[in-house]
Amino acid sequence: MIKIITKTPQELEYLGRRLAQFLQPGDFLALDGDLGAGKTVFTQGVAAGLGITEPVNSPTFTIIHEYQSGRLPLYHMDVYRLKQPEELYDLGYEEYFYGQGVTVVEWAQMVAPLLPDEYLGMEIAVVPEGRELRFAPFGSR
């Protein structure tokens, strides 16, 4: 497991931007952390790093936002409001989870049984110094 501390939202966004340079079609980021920890800020950085120029906001009420303007499509999901993982079936989640874009899921632990075999798990925690990010890769990639 890799741990990184960011001191400002700008550093958190920058980290997402840097990670985006290495993302490939089909990559999946599973984000977890308390409300306000910075999951969306990190995702905004990923979007910027992919070359997406439109505003990126949390899809809390719509569950999924799609962004097609970057070098890869970005599928941003916020599953906080789901009562059970199976609710993703109605949204056609397989197209996103196993598509040719990059999928970022906030509150991923809520749909853990449906996560793909290969993904990068990330937990963002508020700490006195700022935000602590813990990265845990799953699968061979």
Side-chain angles (χ1 to χ4, degrees):
M1 179 178 298
I2 296 172
K3 293 181 186 180
I4 297 175
I5 302 261
T6 61
K7 296 181 179 167
T8 66
Q10 293 80 12
E11 286 182 1
L12 183 59
E13 188 267 344
Y14 174 77
L15 188 60
R17 204 175 323 146
R18 287 298 309 247
L19 178 63
Q21 296 174 358
F22 302 99
L23 294 175
Q24 300 175 7
D27 280 348
F28 191 101
L29 305 176
L31 307 182
D32 287 300
D34 291 336
L35 282 171
K39 296 178 294 295
T40 300
V41 170
F42 180 83
T43 303
Q44 290 167 339
V46 170
L50 290 173
I52 294 167
T53 56
E54 58 208 275
V56 173
N57 299 305
S58 179
T60 302
F61 295 102
T62 57
I63 301 178
I64 302 169
H65 285 167
E66 294 184 38
Y67 303 94
Q68 301 287 335
S69 62
R71 74 172 174 85
L72 294 170
L74 174 64
Y75 310 123
H76 182 198
M77 304 176 84
D78 182 330
V79 298
Y80 181 75
R81 297 200 176 280
L82 298 183
K83 292 179 178 44
Q84 53 189 344
E86 292 77 19
E87 290 179 59
L88 281 180
Y89 291 127
D90 295 335
L91 302 172
Y93 82 96
E94 289 107 340
E95 293 178 38
Y96 302 105
F97 281 28
Y98 303 101
Q100 289 303 302
V102 172
T103 302
V104 177
V105 176
E106 295 186 27
W107 302 98
Q109 82 275 3
M110 297 184 75
V111 294
L114 301 177
L115 294 180
D117 292 336
E118 298 218 1
Y119 66 93
L120 179 60
M122 273 186 54
E123 186 171 344
I124 304 175
V126 178
V127 295
E129 305 84 40
R131 301 294 189 264
E132 179 180 89
L133 290 83
R134 291 177 289 238
F135 296 88
F138 294 87
S140 61
R141 170 125 159 80

